[in-house]
Amino acid sequence: MLDLTIALAKGRLADQAIDLLEAAGTDCRVVREMSRKLILTDEQAGLRFILAKPADVPTYVDYGAADIGIVGKDTLLEENRSLYEVLDLGFGTCRMCVCGPEDLAGRLDSIPNKRVATKYPNIARAYFEARRESVEIIRLNGSVELAPLVGLAEVIVDIVESGRTLRENGLAVLDTIASLSARMVVNRVSMKMKADRINPLIQSVRRQLEQAGRTTP
Ligand code: PRP
């Protein structure tokens, strides 16, 4: 019987998520098979993996189409859904930052009605609202660092990992909004109804993280 569905974020985090689940004793061979299938089923283990766009993983888990999701904290903050965030998985670490030209450092609030370009409009809006700064949010889909370079926006809100993209484009971190990493999330109903199945999985992943010396909340 297929009793557990895990949603993985396609892209950067998927490989590390699979490595971790496997190290924790979950057979992930079906996911490793090179294919374009979006649902990968291991009948014997009663397990099903779905491969979703990162930004959609919280939606699948929130509606119960998946019981468990592995997704970046950036997406969780942006989507702000009511899920159980059960584990910090310790990989995919980076920061959500306000970035812009170096000469704005320390005087971010000196520009009234700034334009802020971002893939994360909700995070950006919440940050500037908390500072009582009035801004215009411009939603982009990627290569956000381009916006201040061509006058589309004064600053950006984006992920900084190594800092290389900023450096190579003459931009700097002006403020850090949040530390980010991959998280395991669980649907609220599944957490209760499938506790027998989900709790051991959480425990084995937690043990694996502890053995690997990664911190967990
Ligand atoms: C992300 C992010 C930055 C970059 C940061 O972009 O949006 O642009 O990585 O990494 P760095 O600090 O190591 O240079 P991604 O590669 O996901 O592509 P995107 O710009 O299309 O979103």
Side-chain angles (χ1 to χ4, degrees), residues 12 119 142-143 145 158-165:
R12 289 181 186 219
K119 277 201 293 190
S143 299
E145 291 84 355
D158 199 18
I159 287 172
V160 178
E161 194 175 350
S162 66
R164 186 172 167 194
T165 310

Side-chain angles (χ1 to χ4, degrees), residues 12 94-95 119-120 140-145 156-169:
R12 289 181 186 219
C94 50
R95 292 181 292 157
K119 277 201 293 190
Y120 301 92
L140 294 178
N141 293 298
S143 299
V144 178
E145 291 84 355
I156 62 173
V157 167
D158 199 18
I159 287 172
V160 178
E161 194 175 350
S162 66
R164 186 172 167 194
T165 310
L166 289 180
R167 269 196 309 281
E168 295 195 1
N169 290 287

